[in-house]
Amino acid sequence: MKTMKQFIYLLFTMAFFSITFINCEGDMLVIEEPETGTEIASVTRYSTPLSCYYVTTKGDDTNSGTSEEKAWRTIKYAASIAKAGDTVYIKAGEYLDEHVVIVNSGTETEPIVFEGYRNRPGDKPQLKYDPFKNNKLDATIMPLLNGNDTTGRAFSITGKKFIEIKNIQITLYERGINCTQRDPSCDYITLDNIIGTDFGFTSPNNSIKATRYSGLGIQIYGNNCKILNCIIVDAGGENFGIRGDYHLVDKCESYSLTNHNPPDYFLHIGGDYNTIKNCKASNIGNNAPYGHGIGFKGDCKYNKVIDCVAENLQEDFLVRHPECQYNEFINCTGIKHNAFVIRDNASNNTFRNCKSKDAWASVLFWDSAEPSGQDGGGFNNTIVNCIFETSSTDPCIVFSNDTYPSNAQGNIFRNCVFSKGSKLFSGGSDLDKGNIMKNCIVTDVKALGENPLDFGIDITYSNFWKNGFKTPSGSGNMSKNPFFGGTSDFHLKSKYGRWNGTTWVKDHVTSPCIDAGDPADEYSKEPSPNGKKINIGAYGNTSEASKSTVKKKIVKY
């Protein structure tokens, strides 16, 4: 008897969970109270509304929306109905003149989800949008919201929380996905696989754009939001404008393709403790103005930019304004134009393991008229373990006097490589003080430029090789062949071990830059064996530092 009861209990449990986890198969989920006499606790009979709705281009807003056959016609109608815990599935197709206002918020455990699909819900459609090869949107793969006239907003989510929007294309609105107010803010928003193009007023000569900051792709004011796998193209104001704290922006791409409405800001972040990683910003059309790339402006602290690439922009990566402090750029690459820009008294920021390629200026200090006139070019910033390959016709480091004298103070270049360039330094003023360059390698640079002592740079323990100028005076400076690993490999050759990107190899020669850095500097991250002294060059005090041998002290008796 007991065995039979256990068997009945098991059957009921299986039936309960099979009902509970079926989504959108009927109008109600019904759970019956079990018969009297079983050992199962009493369950009250109840019915609950469906948590899934459908929108298709063949639907009708007078339908129930509970299946694809009974789908609604418009996303904006679905957004007026959906509440916490609901999912709205949107089938591929072109949705014209939709202006979606999300009415309700979700909760932490029951977000409201708007999810595009191609053939069946959950099939995660991928457009494979590549602006270098194919810049066409395709409504047969993912739902496409077409605003037609570059006015209005595709999605308005101001003041809402716990909203997820996935697998959607958006084009020809003034704003794509938009939360404009700081209070109430948009918190815990997730945007995933959003592709948007052509936002804002356009004109061939930018005459309209010049008088109106027009076009916002994704704009968020809030906290704890996730923007994932999104691509925005040609929003004349900002492709991505993310304000607030604790956001994650991952695997997103920001482009300009045309001269009609190129973005002013490609990926603009304002706030604290945000993480931007695996992102790309590129000015493909070589448009003017070149725009601001990936970076921070205003009150921005303790943010991180990791493994990002910015290309062909006025400022590839930037920190801007006095309150912009303690941010980190790690393993980022700036290609062409001004690669890394420190401006308007931004201070205490760090650029680590970064690279520039074919840059107009690899590092630019600049004091413009923002935010309050003459503030300073940049104070106490650290540039460490970086490789800067500058255009042969442009300077490596620029202390700009364009608006005001640069006034850059206390900045440190440590363990960097500077390759090529018309000159090492350009600009400078008597306001520049206390800047340091040490443990660096400078090679194939045509001229020193202005005297570094004239604008406050002290150069020590650095190697100058095959340049068009004499080695600057300074403790530990030298002029010797650094023996790089290859043309674009700036690891130092070593008989005792060099990392070649894949494994450790041994060379026939050992670079004189090994163990030649400042004796007071930390070397503990260098692999063993080492000479208990930091290497000169981009890999000093890192796990990829070339190895040496420990010199044994001979004791005579």
Side-chain angles (χ1 to χ4, degrees):
M1 186 66 179
K2 185 175 181 181
T3 303
M4 180 60 69
K5 289 181 178 180
Q6 290 175 334
F7 180 71
I8 294 171
Y9 180 90
L10 177 62
L11 288 177
F12 181 86
T13 302
M14 293 173 64
F16 176 84
F17 282 103
S18 67
I19 293 172
T20 301
F21 290 104
I22 292 175
N23 273 332
C24 306
E25 293 298 327
D27 291 336
M28 295 287 184
L29 295 180
V30 179
I31 301 175
E32 298 285 353
E33 180 178 334
E35 294 182 8
T36 304
T38 66
E39 293 184 355
I40 304 172
S42 176
V43 179
T44 302
R45 187 183 191 280
Y46 71 93
S47 59
T48 181
L50 290 175
S51 61
C52 297
Y53 297 105
Y54 292 80
V55 178
T56 74
T57 56
K58 297 180 180 180
D60 190 312
D61 287 347
T62 62
N63 290 339
S64 66
T66 54
S67 67
E68 189 171 312
E69 292 73 21
K70 302 175 183 178
W72 291 323
R73 175 60 182 84
T74 64
I75 305 166
K76 62 184 176 183
Y77 181 77
S80 71
I81 300 296
K83 62 184 185 307
D86 290 349
T87 295
V88 177
Y89 289 116
I90 307 165
K91 191 171 185 179
E94 188 171 22
Y95 297 82
L96 296 174
D97 298 321
E98 287 264 18
H99 298 275
V100 181
V101 178
I102 297 176
V103 173
N104 298 310
S105 289
T107 68
E108 183 176 3
T109 57
E110 294 184 326
I112 300 175
V113 180
F114 297 84
E115 182 173 336
Y117 69 99
R118 185 174 189 177
N119 297 311
R120 58 181 178 80
D123 60 10
K124 298 180 180 180
Q126 297 294 323
L127 184 61
K128 297 182 179 180
Y129 182 93
D130 185 347
F132 293 94
K133 299 178 182 178
N134 171 31
N135 59 351
K136 301 293 184 182
L137 302 180
D138 189 342
T140 67
I141 296 176
M142 286 165 52
L144 169 62
L145 278 69
N146 187 341
N148 271 328
D149 58 2
T150 66
T151 64
R153 304 170 184 184
F155 283 90
S156 295
I157 54 176
T158 296
K160 301 303 179 287
K161 305 179 189 302
F162 298 104
I163 305 294
E164 299 181 8
I165 304 175
K166 305 176 181 180
N167 312 327
I168 301 289
Q169 302 170 87
I170 304 171
T171 191
L172 294 175
Y173 289 83
E174 184 175 9
R175 302 183 181 190
I177 298 177
N178 187 248
C179 170
T180 57
Q181 296 179 5
R182 300 176 188 270
D183 186 18
S185 62
C186 300
D187 300 333
Y188 300 99
I189 306 298
T190 296
L191 307 178
D192 189 356
N193 193 26
I194 307 298
I195 301 174
T197 69
D198 302 304
F199 298 97
F201 296 102
T202 65
S203 63
N205 61 1
N206 290 321
S207 59
I208 297 177
K209 179 172 180 275
T211 59
R212 183 170 180 178
Y213 196 71
S214 175
L216 300 170
I218 291 176
Q219 185 183 47
I220 297 291
Y221 281 93
N223 303 291
N224 296 289
C225 297
K226 295 180 180 179
I227 298 90
L228 314 172
N229 308 300
C230 296
I231 300 173
I232 301 295
V233 180
D234 287 330
E238 301 173 8
N239 278 359
F240 293 84
I242 314 298
R243 277 80 166 178
D245 305 334
Y246 299 101
H247 297 306
L248 171 64
V249 184
D250 189 11
K251 297 183 178 68
C252 290
E253 300 174 27
S254 179
Y255 296 105
S256 175
L257 296 183
T258 71
N259 284 316
H260 298 301
N261 201 31
D264 190 7
Y265 287 88
F266 281 70
L267 209 169
H268 183 199
I269 309 296
D272 303 336
Y273 299 102
N274 299 294
T275 300
I276 300 89
K277 62 180 183 178
N278 306 308
C279 292
K280 183 174 183 178
S282 181
N283 178 14
I284 297 174
N286 195 30
N287 305 306
Y290 296 113
H292 311 280
I294 301 175
F296 309 102
K297 177 182 179 181
D299 191 353
C300 307
K301 298 181 178 67
Y302 305 106
N303 301 288
K304 291 187 178 181
V305 181
I306 305 169
D307 296 326
C308 293
V309 176
E311 180 179 12
N312 201 29
L313 303 165
Q314 179 184 355
E315 300 169 326
D316 289 340
F317 296 92
L318 67 147
V319 285
R320 185 175 178 182
H321 291 181
E323 301 85 3
C324 193
Q325 302 174 355
Y326 306 108
N327 303 292
E328 292 185 75
F329 295 77
I330 303 169
N331 197 34
C332 293
T333 301
I335 303 172
K336 296 184 179 180
H337 297 299
N338 301 311
F340 298 93
V341 179
I342 301 168
R343 57 178 290 188
D344 303 321
N345 206 17
S347 65
N348 296 290
N349 302 286
T350 299
F351 300 81
R352 186 184 304 275
N353 301 333
C354 292
K355 296 179 180 180
S356 72
K357 296 181 179 180
D358 198 26
W360 284 9
S362 289
V363 180
L364 169 63
F365 296 94
W366 178 25
D367 184 9
S368 72
E370 295 186 19
S372 57
Q374 189 169 0
D375 299 291
F379 283 59
N380 302 321
N381 299 283
T382 299
I383 300 95
V384 59
N385 299 123
C386 294
I387 297 172
F388 297 121
E389 296 182 83
T390 309
S391 164
S392 60
T393 58
D394 295 290
C396 303
I397 302 171
V398 176
F399 294 82
S400 175
N401 295 317
D402 183 34
T403 308
Y404 295 104
S406 57
N407 191 13
Q409 299 183 20
N411 301 287
I412 299 175
F413 294 87
R414 186 173 70 243
N415 286 99
C416 295
V417 170
F418 295 88
S419 176
K420 303 184 180 64
S422 62
K423 50 188 174 181
L424 184 57
F425 302 107
S426 178
S429 74
D430 56 4
L431 297 176
D432 299 309
K433 299 175 182 178
N435 300 298
I436 293 172
M437 176 183 287
K438 67 174 178 177
N439 305 337
C440 293
I441 299 175
V442 179
T443 183
D444 291 325
V445 178
K446 296 177 182 178
L448 180 62
E450 290 79 0
N451 188 339
L453 295 179
D454 289 344
F455 47 98
I457 288 190
D458 183 25
I459 303 175
T460 59
Y461 297 98
S462 294
N463 186 33
F464 293 80
W465 177 247
K466 293 180 66 175
N467 299 299
F469 57 91
K470 294 181 179 180
T471 298
S473 60
S475 179
N477 290 342
M478 60 183 181
S479 180
K480 297 181 180 180
N481 189 340
F483 291 110
F484 292 129
T487 303
S488 298
D489 179 5
F490 294 98
H491 293 83
L492 303 175
K493 288 185 176 181
S494 172
K495 295 179 180 179
Y496 308 100
R498 168 177 58 87
W499 182 253
N500 69 357
T502 304
T503 188
W504 289 95
V505 296
K506 293 184 177 181
D507 300 297
H508 68 283
V509 65
T510 296
S511 169
C513 295
I514 295 175
D515 300 336
D518 188 337
D521 282 1
E522 180 63 45
Y523 64 87
S524 62
K525 294 180 182 179
E526 296 191 3
S528 181
N530 59 63
K532 296 186 177 182
K533 191 176 176 183
I534 192 170
N535 293 352
I536 288 177
Y539 300 98
N541 197 33
T542 74
S543 61
E544 295 184 21
S546 296
K547 299 177 182 179
S548 62
T549 183
V550 178
K551 296 180 180 179
K552 297 181 180 180
K553 186 176 181 179
I554 300 175
V555 180
K556 295 182 179 180
Y557 295 95

